[in-house]
Amino acid sequence: MRPFTVSMNLDNINFNGNHIVRRYEDIKSIFKSTDISLEDKNPVIYEVFESPVPEKQGHLIFLVTILYPGKVNEEFFMTKGHYHTVENTAEVYLGIKGKGLILCQTKSGDFEVAEISENRVVYIPPFWAHRAVNIFDEPLIFFGIYPAHAGHDYETIAQSGFVKRVFSKNGRVVIE
């Protein structure tokens, strides 16, 4: 592999790597309840643009995630969330635009919430699952970087979920 550059133009992101699009129908099971009004619309909840880097030790994958604003009933739009398959690997997020929360938890039950917004860096240590939640009325956009061999364990979260959720109640952000 040779050194390369990519454009960070947020109006037209193209890292020439994976482009993952998660629509409501794809991830509706992660929400506490379903929303019949979203069934027909099937909006895009979030997109991930990954760099074209091999998933091998020694490399770093970088990405941009766009998590759109919205709610499923009272619950804010969020990403699926995951642990890393190689559990002792970390991840870093840099907020570019918008406001959100990064929910973090361990398999032993520890839970933390980190705020993410423009120019704010969130460090997610090894062994912590993480999920982004958009709590604002514009897209939450962040840059991420992690070891390329880390992998993604979505199954553990699909089975056990996150211990807390984020809702909009009476105009306030509520974590319960």
Side-chain angles (χ1 to χ4, degrees):
M1 178 163 217
R2 307 213 28 105
F4 66 93
T5 64
V6 296
S7 173
M8 281 284 294
N9 178 351
L10 297 180
D11 295 326
N12 184 23
I13 300 170
N14 184 2
F15 285 174
N16 297 316
N18 290 330
H19 177 208
I20 301 159
V21 179
R22 303 268 195 232
R23 293 183 167 278
Y24 175 70
E25 282 294 321
D26 303 325
I27 62 169
K28 68 181 180 181
S29 64
I30 70 171
F31 295 95
K32 185 173 182 177
S33 62
T34 56
D35 186 337
I36 194 78
S37 71
L38 296 177
E39 297 285 334
D40 289 336
K41 298 175 192 170
N42 196 24
V44 173
I45 306 294
Y46 68 98
E47 296 181 79
V48 180
F49 300 86
E50 290 183 332
S51 58
V53 175
E55 293 180 7
K56 295 180 179 176
Q57 191 163 2
H59 290 279
L60 296 170
I61 289 182
F62 59 90
L63 56 87
V64 168
T65 298
I66 302 173
L67 176 54
Y68 294 98
K71 297 181 200 96
V72 176
N73 299 313
E74 294 181 319
E75 191 169 15
F76 288 104
F77 281 4
M78 61 185 156
T79 61
K80 287 175 69 170
H82 64 272
Y83 287 96
H84 287 155
T85 307
V86 178
E87 293 180 325
N88 66 342
T89 53
E91 193 158 349
V92 173
Y93 292 155
L94 167 64
I96 296 173
K97 183 178 177 185
K99 295 179 186 176
L101 302 173
I102 305 299
L103 307 183
C104 302
Q105 71 181 34
T106 64
K107 291 179 180 175
S108 63
D110 287 335
F111 181 82
E112 294 287 334
V113 176
E115 293 181 16
I116 188 165
S117 58
E118 186 176 342
N119 298 322
R120 190 171 191 103
V121 177
V122 177
Y123 176 74
I124 303 152
F127 303 100
W128 287 79
H130 37 287
R131 162 181 281 165
V133 181
N134 186 342
I135 60 168
F136 201 51
D137 58 3
E138 66 180 58
L140 171 61
I141 303 175
F142 57 92
F143 178 87
I145 190 165
Y146 63 93
H149 72 290
H152 295 89
D153 172 8
Y154 294 108
E155 189 58 33
T156 300
I157 298 302
Q159 291 175 0
S160 62
F162 266 73
V163 296
K164 298 198 181 206
R165 297 175 171 277
V166 185
F167 299 92
S168 174
K169 295 189 177 182
N170 299 318
R172 296 183 42 209
V173 175
V174 177
I175 301 170
E176 51 184 45

